[in-house]
Amino acid sequence: MAGRDKTLEHFSQHLQDGETIAADVFGTYEGKILGKDALRNGILVATNQRVVFYTKKLFGYEMETFYYNRISSIQGEKNFFGWFVTIVTTGNTASLKWIKAGETGVFVDYVNKKISNQ
């Protein structure tokens, strides 16, 4: 698995016109694969248009997008195992835990400002 910088470089190829990266955190994403709970290392990126989880795989990549107008809340906390971020949207909750790199506070503050402006 690539580290934060390499993963962010790969993600940059998927930016939309006029989209810029504001903040990111790199860790382990809790999601579902074929309906089953799964853990994947990757990066959670806040841009001026959306929040995206991105992971590079052996043959391609996986990306999950969260638009600011659909995010109900975001929370960043530290527990015994380290920092984590939880995003709550309509019908979905996504978490990035065991954050290895990035500024969690900066990331959460940026997303909170964006969702409060919606």
Side-chain angles (χ1 to χ4, degrees):
M1 175 66 199
R4 174 186 178 215
D5 293 339
K6 194 70 165 171
T7 304
L8 194 57
E9 180 183 321
H10 287 288
F11 169 74
S12 296
Q13 299 169 13
H14 301 281
L15 291 171
Q16 299 170 354
D17 289 339
E19 189 172 25
T20 57
I21 296 171
D24 65 88
V25 287
F26 181 80
T28 303
Y29 184 72
E30 290 182 304
K32 299 228 182 248
I33 296 177
L34 300 172
K36 300 201 185 250
D37 291 336
L39 299 174
R40 296 164 290 198
N41 286 329
I43 197 161
L44 199 54
V45 181
T47 74
N48 59 325
Q49 297 177 13
R50 59 192 172 147
V51 175
V52 179
F53 169 74
Y54 179 86
T55 185
K56 183 84 172 89
K57 299 182 342 181
L58 186 58
F59 298 106
Y61 63 92
E62 187 173 333
M63 208 162 67
E64 186 172 354
T65 300
F66 307 93
Y67 290 100
Y68 291 114
N69 63 349
R70 304 235 171 153
I71 297 174
S72 304
S73 66
I74 183 168
Q75 181 178 12
E77 292 186 31
K78 186 174 184 179
N79 63 18
F80 182 72
F81 298 105
W83 284 96
F84 68 94
V85 172
T86 302
I87 297 175
V88 178
T89 65
T90 307
N92 189 15
T93 299
S95 295
L96 188 76
K97 61 183 185 177
W98 304 325
I99 294 174
K100 300 172 186 82
E103 294 291 331
T104 304
V106 171
F107 182 87
V108 170
D109 288 347
Y110 182 82
V111 174
N112 269 324
K113 285 177 188 169
K114 292 296 282 186
I115 62 178
S116 67
N117 289 333
Q118 295 298 308

